[in-house]
Amino acid sequence: MAEKPEDLNLPTSIVTKIIKDCLPGNCKVSKEANAAIAKAASVFVLYTTSSANAVAQKSNRKTISGQDVISAMTDMEFDKFVKPLENSLALWKKSQQEKKNTAAKKKAEKEAAANKDSSDSAAVAGSSADSSKDAAPTAAEDDEVMVVDSEKEKESSKKES
C-alpha cells in the first residue's frame, strides 16, 4: 500500500497529455484545472479498483479481471461506459493474442532454423571427408594451374604484339 496519500495520485504529466489529446488545440487548461482533473482521475481509479475488488471477492477470487471492472462500472452506475470499455477490452485481448501468436511463430521458425542448421552441419561433417580433396589443391595441382596460367599469358602477349 502507498506510504503517503500523494503516492496514490496519477502522474500529472500523463494526465496533462490525456487532457491535451482530447481537447481542441486552441483550448487552454490552467494548472489548477490540471491538478483537479488529476486528483479526480486518481479518485476514480481507486473507486473503480475498490468496486472491482468487491466483485472479485464475491466470486471468491483474489485477482481482479476485466469482467470484474465492467461489472463494477455497472455497480457504480457508469452504464454508459460499459459498452466502450467492453470494446476496448476486446481489442486489447485481440492484440495480446496476436502478440502471443507472433511470438510463438518466431519461436517455431527459430527452432526450425536451428534444427535445419544442426542437420546441415551433420551432413557437411559427414561429407567433408569426401570433399576434402576439392577444398585445397595439392602442390602438384598448384603447379599445373601455374603452367596453364603462364601459357595463357604467353598467348595473350603474342596476340597483343
Side-chain angles (χ1 to χ4, degrees), residues 64-80:
I64 298 171
S65 70
Q67 190 57 48
D68 294 334
V69 176
I70 292 170
S71 297
M73 295 296 275
T74 302
D75 293 348
M76 296 183 312
E77 298 180 5
F78 285 109
D79 295 324
K80 71 178 188 177

Side-chain angles (χ1 to χ4, degrees), residues 1 53 107 119:
M1 196 71 193
N53 188 44
K107 183 178 178 182
S119 65

Side-chain angles (χ1 to χ4, degrees), residues 84-158:
L85 181 58
E86 288 173 335
N87 293 339
S88 179
L89 188 58
L91 288 172
W92 181 81
K93 285 179 181 180
K94 183 179 177 183
S95 72
Q96 292 300 307
Q97 187 61 45
E98 288 172 358
K99 285 180 184 179
K100 186 177 177 181
N101 292 344
T102 302
K105 185 178 177 182
K106 284 183 181 179
K107 183 178 178 182
E109 289 172 354
K110 187 176 179 180
E111 288 174 356
N115 290 339
K116 183 180 180 202
D117 288 345
S118 64
S119 65
D120 287 349
S121 297
V124 169
S127 66
S128 63
D130 297 336
S131 63
S132 62
K133 59 186 173 188
D134 295 343
T138 62
E141 291 171 333
D142 272 345
D143 291 340
E144 290 175 28
V145 170
M146 289 172 49
V147 169
V148 170
D149 286 344
S150 65
E151 288 176 5
K152 285 182 182 176
E153 286 176 16
K154 287 179 188 176
E155 288 177 18
S156 64
S157 65
K158 285 181 184 177

